[in-house]
Structure formats: C-alpha cells, structure tokens
Amino acid sequence: ANTTHSYSVPDNPGSTYQWFIPPGAGFASADPTIHTVDVSFGLISGQIRVIETTAGGCVTNHNPLNLTVNQLPISVLNADKIAACGGDTITFTAGPAGALNYEFFVNGGSVQTGASNIYITDLMVNSDQVTVNVTSTDGCENLSLPVLITIYDPPVVTLTSSDADNIICFGEHVEFTANSASAVSYNFFLNGVSEQSGPLNFWSTINLIDGDQVHAEVLTAFGCPGSSDTITTFVNELPVAEISGDATICPGTSTDLTVNITAGSAPFEVTVDNSVPLASGYNSGDPIAVSPEFTTTYTLVSVEDANNCISAILTPSSANLSGSAAVTLRDTVQILTQPRSAEICEGTDTSFTV
C-alpha cells in the first residue's frame, strides 16, 4: 500500500493506450496514454489492464494483471516511561507483534534492528525521539510516530561540616549540611546507616567516634536521586585524669599533689580547685605544690590537652575526672605562758617556766 510501481506493454508506433487501475490508485506518470505508466497504489487490490488502439482503429485488449495490495503494518511504539531520570532504564515495545523485522531509531539514527520488538536502553538524554520501522511478513514497511523522551538531570549535592578541618574532640557537637538546588528530600547516613530522612537539609550529632563517615543522599521532586561525597571525621579522645596526694603537714609547709593522666595528648593544662594556680605544660605525674592555711580537700576542675580537648566538671565529660587529695594541717605550736623576770640575792637559785 502507498507505493508506486511501473507497468508497460509493447510500444507500437501510432497506437494510443487507455489504462485502467484499481480504485484508490493514481497515475504518477506525466502522460498516462502511452505504452508505459507509473501507478501509485492506495489500499485496494484489483486489476491493471490496458486497451490499445492502433492508428488504423484496431483495438487490442491486453491481458490484465491481478494486483494484490498488502496493507502496511500499523506501526506503534510505546515506552514504559516517557519521563525518567538520567541513567534510568527505559523499555520500548513496538507493535504489531509477530512482524518480520523491527528497526529502532533514536533521533533518526538506527540503534537496533532484528526480530525483537523490544528495545531497552539507559542512554537516553533529554528530548530524544525514538521511532520504529516495522516490516511485515509481506515485506511492507511503516514508520511509527515518534516517542519524545524527557530526561531529568540528577541533583547535584554538596555536603559540608560545621567543623572545617573535620577534627573534633569526643562529644563535640557537629552539624552536617547538604546543599542542592533541586533536592526536596535529604537522607543522612552514618557509616552506611540512615540517621535522618526528610525535608531537613541538615543533621547534627554529638556522638561521633574516630573515623566515622557521613554522606547524604537526596531526591528531586520527580524522584531523581543524587549522592554527596563522604566526610570522614577524626575524633580525639578526651583527657582522663585522677588526682592524688593525701598528706598531713605542719602549718606553713607545703606538699605535692599529682595528677595521673591516662588519655589525651600531652602537655596539659590542669585546673585544681581551692585557688591552686593553673598548671600549664603539665605532664602526667608532675608535682603541683600546695600550702593550705587550713585542712583542705583538692579535686580536679578541668584538664585540657594539646588538642584543646577538655574534660571538666559540670559537663558530660565530668566522669573523666576522679580522685581527691586531702591535706590535713597539724595543730599549731603555741607558748601559753612566757618566763617571768626574777630578782634574787647573790648566791641563791631561781627557776624559769614556760
């Protein structure tokens, strides 16, 4: 159907020819009265015949040709989705089934030909047009209408941390923020486990340990996914310290307190209560001299290490500070009665008492 073919009879000089063609067909020739014609067929089968009249008026009815017009396949093309995210797999299915051959085209370029009426690809880009040319078992071909594909770009997402160098102290508050121009949903993962999912583009925590990894996965309004880079946080341990130095001393003398520090990076700054001066550049076990005016018990207020990590009382890290040092003063020696002057006669004895 809808194709053009040529037909002819012998050319006799002086003869004229009258051609008869099936309904719906038409002449593609410039002069349909000569011995050869081009016929464009429609959809109806029938006969082609010709009557020849010679110059002398003799008429010849040439034997007719029976013509069968095969219908063009009704080529259709469907996609399982006409809008998708970049990299999504799209399946195209051509019809009718059972045809001889299916040739698929993307933007006019052939991408697959053969007996399969299914074309699967993940290489579509926005505004691609896909068509299929179906060849029936009769050898008739028909090109389908195009299927226009819309491809949405994946979201671009960046992840930042409130700590610029990603080095913190244990228990420090850190906030991670995912930035994306097109995302509407954010899912934050800690070491591959989802910690928070929803519209908020930030997540905070105080529970990171050394080497923890955080990344964010996002979705656009259409549902296209995107993923950020991973941030690895290095966590320094907090100082762990114990004070000791129980002693009994005389008033006006001094004794040494010591602080045993088992975690953290030296040197330290150690703060002890009861007006003990700050011990800077301190190393575990160094003496801290005290000379109290009355019996006093000393405890740790804070210990800060070289990484600026602090354990201090009245904070969640207070459990890292332990021990105490009780310095007891003995009673002060006092003279209750002074010796008194005495006047005596020469050669006699006297006594002095305190």
Side-chain angles (χ1 to χ4, degrees):
N2 301 326
T3 58
T4 300
H5 301 270
S6 296
Y7 301 89
S8 65
V9 292
D11 183 15
N12 294 312
S15 291
T16 59
Y17 302 86
Q18 183 179 5
W19 291 88
F20 299 87
I21 57 178
F27 292 105
S29 300
D31 183 4
T33 65
I34 61 176
H35 78 288
T36 179
V37 292
D38 295 327
V39 180
S40 295
F41 290 93
L43 305 177
I44 301 174
S45 301
Q47 286 186 336
I48 290 186
R49 58 191 180 88
V50 60
I51 298 175
E52 179 182 351
T53 302
T54 67
C58 297
V59 176
T60 300
N61 287 297
H62 290 273
N63 290 331
L65 290 179
N66 293 317
L67 263 287
T68 300
V69 176
N70 293 311
Q71 302 304 310
L72 297 181
I74 302 175
S75 302
V76 293
L77 183 62
N78 294 302
D80 62 346
K81 45 182 170 283
I82 61 172
C85 302
D88 281 358
T89 297
I90 302 177
T91 299
F92 297 90
T93 303
L100 181 66
N101 190 78
Y102 303 86
E103 186 171 11
F104 293 88
F105 299 85
V106 176
N107 301 324
S110 178
V111 292
Q112 176 181 299
T113 185
S116 174
N117 70 327
I118 295 176
Y119 170 59
I120 301 174
T121 181
D122 58 2
L123 301 177
M124 291 285 101
V125 298
N126 192 43
S127 298
D128 272 351
Q129 293 192 27
V130 182
T131 55
V132 63
N133 189 57
V134 180
T135 303
S136 69
T137 54
D138 298 318
C140 295
E141 300 180 1
N142 193 22
L143 187 67
S144 71
L145 294 174
V147 175
L148 177 65
I149 300 298
T150 300
I151 298 295
Y152 295 98
D153 292 331
V156 176
V157 56
T158 58
L159 184 67
T160 60
S161 170
S162 59
D163 188 87
D165 62 1
N166 302 316
I167 302 175
I168 66 169
C169 300
F170 180 78
E172 186 175 334
H173 175 269
V174 182
E175 184 172 286
F176 297 92
T177 302
N179 298 293
S180 174
S182 57
V184 296
S185 177
Y186 303 82
N187 196 355
F188 291 88
F189 291 82
L190 174 62
N191 300 323
V193 178
S194 176
E195 295 291 330
Q196 175 184 295
S197 181
L200 294 180
N201 73 325
F202 61 89
W203 171 67
S204 60
T205 181
I206 59 172
N207 297 318
L208 294 180
I209 60 175
D210 192 43
D212 273 350
Q213 295 185 328
V214 176
H215 79 279
E217 296 180 2
V218 303
L219 293 174
T220 65
F222 183 75
C224 296
S227 183
S228 73
D229 292 336
T230 296
I231 292 179
T232 301
T233 303
F234 301 95
V235 181
N236 292 315
E237 59 186 347
L238 298 179
V240 176
E242 181 179 13
I243 189 172
S244 61
D246 290 350
T248 301
I249 62 173
C250 296
T253 61
S254 65
T255 187
D256 291 331
L257 310 178
T258 58
V259 180
N260 181 36
I261 304 175
T262 57
S265 299
F268 302 89
E269 289 193 352
V270 176
T271 302
V272 181
D273 61 1
N274 291 310
S275 302
V276 176
L278 174 69
S280 295
Y282 186 86
N283 290 295
S284 180
D286 286 351
I288 300 175
V290 293
S291 182
E293 296 180 357
F294 45 83
T295 296
T296 303
T297 298
Y298 297 93
T299 59
L300 291 170
V301 176
S302 66
V303 176
E304 181 177 353
D305 73 357
N307 294 320
N308 302 121
C309 295
I310 302 174
S311 291
I313 60 173
L314 305 180
T315 70
S317 61
S318 61
N320 292 340
L321 306 179
S322 61
S324 63
V327 177
T328 303
L329 265 66
R330 294 189 175 93
D331 290 337
T332 302
V333 177
Q334 296 180 4
I335 296 177
L336 302 179
T337 304
Q338 295 289 346
R340 296 180 179 180
S341 301
E343 293 183 3
I344 61 173
C345 296
E346 183 180 3
T348 60
D349 294 335
T350 187
S351 64
F352 299 90
T353 301
V354 295

